């Protein structure tokens, strides 16, 4: 008894011209050996190389190949990791809010090496607000 009647293999494509044919030649024998119908759904994610032409050719050669021409018409990107480092008060949080994201729900902050205290990494450099000769408050770092 077959549990799966039809299998859709979804393959994301972004500038994959160098490997598309090889990948196709590797995947087809595997899915053809399965006891079910199948389709290969290639999702072109805005490729700028020859990937779209290769996908068109594959779709013409096999009715099992389907192509989704760009999802919503623009390149999709995944999560972006941003690493900022510096002593407290050096502007990391401000830079995150102004250059990257101002919505705390959309980001996760991670402190590396939580087994150590911050001073283990910065050698006891501590921020201190001091007044300069004109009476303006300035941030200074003191050992």
């Amino acid at each position: 008894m077959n549990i799966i009647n039809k299998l859709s293999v979804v393959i994301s494509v972004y500038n994959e011209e160098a490997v598309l044919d090889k990948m196709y030649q590797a995947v087809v024998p595997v899915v053809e050996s399965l006891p079910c119908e199948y389709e290969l759904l290639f999702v072109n994610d805005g490729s700028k190389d020859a990937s779209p032409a290769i996908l068109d050719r594959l779709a013409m050669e096999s009715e099992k190949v389907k192509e989704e021409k760009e999802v919503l018409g623009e390149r999709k990107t995944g999560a972006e990791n941003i690493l900022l480092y510096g002593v407290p008060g050096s502007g990391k949080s401000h830079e995150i809010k102004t250059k990257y994201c101002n919505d705390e729900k959309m980001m996760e902050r991670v402190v590396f090496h939580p087994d150590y205290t911050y001073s283990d990494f910065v050698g006891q450099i501590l921020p201190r607000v001091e007044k300069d000769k004109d009476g303006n408050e300035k941030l200074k770092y003191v050992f």
Side-chain angles (χ1 to χ4, degrees):
M1 177 178 159
N2 286 344
I3 296 174
I4 300 173
N5 293 327
K6 185 171 183 180
L7 175 68
S8 293
V9 180
V10 180
I11 303 163
S12 178
V13 176
Y14 181 70
N15 294 339
E16 305 292 343
E17 70 180 340
V19 297
L20 267 177
D21 280 314
K22 291 177 188 173
M23 188 275 311
Y24 177 76
Q25 292 168 4
V27 169
V28 168
V30 174
V31 293
E32 284 185 347
S33 70
L34 299 173
C36 64
E37 290 291 316
Y38 74 90
E39 69 178 355
L40 301 176
L41 177 60
F42 291 88
V43 179
N44 179 17
D45 204 6
S47 295
K48 305 290 187 227
D49 64 357
S51 295
I54 295 169
L55 293 175
D56 288 342
R57 177 178 51 78
L58 292 174
M60 290 184 68
E61 291 173 0
S62 173
E63 63 184 27
K64 304 282 188 181
V65 174
K66 310 284 188 246
E67 180 186 2
E68 178 67 37
K69 300 257 185 202
E70 294 188 23
V71 180
L72 299 178
E74 62 185 58
R75 167 102 173 105
K76 302 292 171 255
T77 58
E80 182 178 4
N81 294 322
I82 299 169
L83 179 63
L84 300 175
Y85 56 93
V87 296
S90 63
K92 299 180 298 289
S93 296
H94 175 73
E95 183 167 348
I96 290 169
K97 288 179 183 176
T98 58
K99 290 187 178 179
Y100 301 106
C101 181
N102 196 18
D103 184 355
E104 291 287 331
K105 295 177 199 161
M106 299 295 292
M107 68 176 112
E108 180 177 352
R109 295 178 191 218
V110 178
V111 177
F112 293 97
H113 305 291
D115 295 333
Y116 299 97
T117 65
Y118 197 84
S119 61
D120 290 333
F121 290 99
V122 298
Q124 300 293 331
I125 301 173
L126 302 173
R128 180 181 299 162
V129 177
E130 296 180 355
K131 292 191 179 196
D132 64 10
K133 62 181 177 180
D134 298 325
N136 299 317
E137 291 185 338
K138 297 286 183 179
L139 186 60
K140 303 270 183 172
Y141 294 93
V142 182
F143 288 91

